[in-house]
Amino acid sequence: MNFVHQHILSVEQFNRENVEYLLDLAQRLEPVAKREVGCNVLQGAVLANLFFEASTRTRLSFGSAFARLGGSIIDTTGFTFSSMAKGESIYDTSRVISGYCDVMVVRHPEEGSVAQFGKATHVPVINGGDGIGEHPTQSLLDIYTMKKEFARLGKSSLDGMKLALVGDLKHGRTVHSLVKILSLYKDIEFVFIAPENLSIPDYIAALADNRGHKISYIDKPSQGLKGADVVYATRIQKERFKTGEVPEGYSGDFCINRQMINQYANDDVVIMHPLPRDSRPGSNDLHNDLNNDPRLAVFRQADNGIPLRMALFAAVLGVDKNIEENYRPLTWQSVKHYGVEDFQP
Ligand code: NCD
């Protein structure tokens, strides 16, 4: 796949080689992400960040990645302050904004809507999450994180890994993209841990199954965690429930906490979560009693959004071959450490 000027809408566009190319490119961009060197390879380019749904890390990390490559950002947040509140169509909005920018990142509550933005523009559109559909860049940064964590643990490949996915597997778009993208690898063992009403959509499980991966459905997390290389927890997506629908059966047993990890998981398990965690009482999301546990990779995972999103911008705007030659010394100093605070016990 030649990424230049391509929309990035779904991980179904990629083969394994494309994915590995982006992960390698992200690796090359680490010195820029870590603020060791500057690289203004996107100087003069403009990103339009269009977020019609709540976001913290996706919007800001796309913006930060673009700015660190020397580009500028224009943005709009929510429907209220956009002309969509006046009845403007996706087509018109997208066509107009394409005149103002070089690349667009769009998050929208309806599945398939970001693809509609893509139909109306002259510039590449990157899907920042379309309803319960997909979140391709999150899954790329997720497997980038797995590769980095595995390297730290002396594991050589994602092939053959066991991944336990916990939470709202029905509505969670990060999970949908992650299962699809990992299905490009070999001999993955997927353990889907959720009550029946929050189960992974059949078509996604079938895709993994058809590619020869091992699948199991478990409604008791403690059993599913055994032998897992990675535990990927997710939030209950209450905003996607139909009126009156409740997360039936999502009891305290699903709350991944220190006691459960110590008792059932491997000593070198990698604990991930796309964030945000729902910290409200009764949410049963990933517990914060794991915060100082080196196995908790969630903040390193969020940090990894920067090099990975830089890589995507560099690839779709055609500067991926020009990174190192554009290195320049930085004139300022910021962080003392980057993502290492929670690295050691
Ligand atoms: C996720 C999303 O928006 O799908 N967040 C993110 O982008 N990291 C997960 C979620 O909202 O639960």
Side-chain angles (χ1 to χ4, degrees):
M1 172 179 178
N2 178 359
F3 288 96
V4 183
H5 293 155
Q6 296 298 313
H7 299 318
I8 306 295
L9 301 173
S10 160
V11 294
E12 291 183 42
Q13 291 168 252
F14 303 139
N15 59 27
R16 180 164 173 169
E17 199 188 326
N18 305 146
V19 171
E20 297 283 340
Y21 181 75
L22 289 173
L23 303 188
D24 289 347
L25 187 51
Q27 179 73 44
R28 279 172 52 207
L29 283 154
E30 285 279 354
V32 187
K34 287 181 181 151
R35 293 81 125 176
E36 290 163 7
V37 287
C39 180
N40 279 354
V41 80
L42 291 183
Q43 192 162 26
V46 175
L47 160 69
N49 239 347
L50 314 178
F51 278 70
F52 299 102
E53 232 189 18
S55 174
T56 303
R57 73 224 82 231
T58 305
R59 184 168 62 89
L60 296 186
S61 68
F62 268 117
S64 174
F66 204 78
R68 288 207 186 280
L69 291 177
S72 309
I73 297 110
I74 54 174
D75 68 353
T76 175
T77 309
F79 287 102
T80 322
F81 297 106
S82 101
S83 287
M84 285 196 173
K86 300 177 182 171
E88 188 171 53
S89 66
I90 286 183
Y91 185 94
D92 286 6
T93 301
S94 181
R95 169 63 189 86
V96 168
I97 294 170
S98 70
Y100 305 157
C101 67
D102 302 289
V103 55
M104 268 184 227
V105 175
V106 184
R107 170 172 286 190
H108 193 283
E110 278 160 40
E111 188 173 3
S113 54
V114 180
Q116 289 177 40
F117 274 85
K119 292 210 169 85
T121 75
H122 309 307
V123 302
V125 173
I126 299 179
N127 183 357
D130 63 329
I132 64 164
E134 280 222 36
H135 197 339
T137 64
Q138 178 71 42
S139 66
L140 284 164
L141 79 86
D142 289 342
I143 59 171
Y144 184 59
T145 301
M146 289 173 195
K147 282 194 91 159
K148 281 177 75 174
E149 296 289 318
F150 279 22
R152 176 174 70 83
L153 295 166
K155 298 185 185 183
S156 59
S157 168
L158 302 188
D159 290 329
M161 71 177 274
K162 178 170 178 176
L163 170 67
L165 297 125
V166 189
D168 188 348
L169 310 185
K170 177 180 177 187
H171 303 101
R173 57 193 172 200
T174 64
V175 168
H176 301 171
S177 290
L178 182 58
V179 174
K180 288 183 192 178
I181 206 164
L182 273 174
S183 294
L184 297 171
Y185 285 73
K186 288 201 196 96
D187 303 323
I188 308 290
E189 185 174 347
F190 292 102
V191 184
F192 297 121
I193 307 171
E196 212 183 323
N197 64 335
L198 297 179
S199 194
I200 189 94
D202 288 342
Y203 89 96
I204 296 176
L207 185 139
D209 192 30
N210 291 339
R211 291 189 183 153
H213 303 290
K214 197 167 159 197
I215 286 176
S216 54
Y217 297 86
I218 290 184
D219 56 12
K220 288 245 176 316
S222 47
Q223 298 311 308
L225 301 187
K226 288 184 183 158
D229 295 289
V230 177
V231 173
Y232 192 96
T234 60
R235 174 180 71 87
I236 300 294
Q237 313 266 303
K238 288 200 186 112
E239 71 276 25
R240 310 219 185 273
F241 281 49
K242 298 196 185 85
T243 320
E245 215 181 340
V246 284
E248 228 172 279
Y250 203 78
S251 60
D253 299 352
F254 286 88
C255 178
I256 306 291
N257 58 25
R258 179 187 283 269
Q259 182 276 327
M260 193 190 276
I261 290 290
N262 284 343
Q263 190 171 350
Y264 298 103
N266 287 354
D267 288 345
D268 63 354
V269 69
V270 177
I271 305 165
M272 297 176 59
H273 190 301
L275 303 181
R277 270 191 283 189
D278 187 341
S279 300
R280 291 170 291 193
S283 69
N284 297 328
D285 206 337
L286 179 64
H287 206 285
N288 60 16
D289 67 0
L290 283 157
N291 277 6
N292 293 319
D293 191 308
R295 293 170 290 186
L296 187 82
V298 300
F299 300 116
R300 300 191 289 274
Q301 183 183 357
D303 288 343
N304 287 334
I306 300 292
L308 191 283
R309 291 185 166 119
M310 281 180 176
L312 265 179
F313 286 132
V316 298
L317 294 175
V319 294
D320 44 333
K321 307 278 187 287
N322 317 111
I323 303 300
E324 290 80 3
E325 72 196 48
N326 278 286
Y327 277 1
R328 62 184 176 90
L330 291 176
T331 51
W332 41 265
Q333 295 176 24
S334 73
V335 285
K336 285 196 194 136
H337 304 287
Y338 177 85
V340 290
E341 300 83 358
D342 49 341
F343 209 81
Q344 298 298 332

